[in-house]
Amino acid sequence: VLPQDAASINSELQKIALLADEQGQVPESAHTAIQQTLEGDIFRLLTAIQTSRQTAPVWQQLHEYNQSGESLIFAFLASLTREARNLWQLCMGERPAMPPSLIPAKKSLAQAMGPVGIAKLWELASTAERAIKTGEQSPEQAFDFLVAELSLVFHPTGH
């Protein structure tokens, strides 16, 4: 997800420039520092929910993303479905395109979720998108429902 103004874009480019070596190349070890995107937040959120750790800081950051613009819900949904695809590939023994340093943690999450849990991520994203596009829910309502349902992927209530 790209920042929505030129100052933010410039700031992000300056961060990348600081990580680059004399030849202008960003070393592989610095790639994780660059990946401060929604996708990373979604993975942190899913991991925090799965392990029942403090999720409040991640929820707060996602809530701030949601409040910053109506179109951001679609960026969130796209990132969620991409993360689900990566988890699916790892669960099925494939190697998705991602930095090798991220694979062990994501593979662990994929195995914990299993195919049914990962498929539920796609279902939730699809449901939220349909609710918005049909006018059944506002983007904010769909986002709130989505994040509430995400916690049930790991901790079903038994209903």
Side-chain angles (χ1 to χ4, degrees), residues 96-151:
M98 68 175 61
S101 61
L102 298 178
I103 291 177
K106 290 192 178 202
K107 186 172 187 174
S108 176
L109 178 61
Q111 290 170 338
M113 292 183 74
V116 173
I118 296 168
K120 184 69 174 171
L121 298 178
W122 280 311
E123 179 187 342
L124 292 173
S126 175
T127 299
E129 184 173 356
R130 180 191 48 76
I132 294 167
K133 289 182 175 180
T134 62
E136 182 181 323
Q137 294 179 332
S138 70
E140 294 80 16
Q141 290 170 324
F143 181 81
D144 289 344
F145 183 76
L146 173 65
V147 294
E149 289 293 314
L150 280 174
S151 65

Side-chain angles (χ1 to χ4, degrees), residues 48-69:
I49 294 170
Q50 181 222 1
T51 59
S52 298
R53 289 187 303 195
Q54 285 285 66
T55 58
V58 183
W59 286 125
Q60 181 60 36
Q61 188 170 7
L62 291 174
H63 180 70
E64 288 170 11
Y65 284 138
N66 185 45
Q67 296 302 311
S68 66

Side-chain angles (χ1 to χ4, degrees), residues 14 20 22-23 45 64 66 73 75 92 106 128 130 144:
Q14 288 176 357
E22 295 82 30
Q23 291 80 32
L45 173 65
E64 288 170 11
N66 185 45
I73 182 70
M92 296 296 128
K106 290 192 178 202
R130 180 191 48 76
D144 289 344

Side-chain angles (χ1 to χ4, degrees), residues 10-30:
N10 186 45
S11 174
E12 294 303 314
L13 289 173
Q14 288 176 357
K15 289 178 193 176
I16 293 171
L18 288 172
L19 295 169
D21 60 20
E22 295 82 30
Q23 291 80 32
Q25 300 295 312
V26 177
E28 178 73 27
S29 62

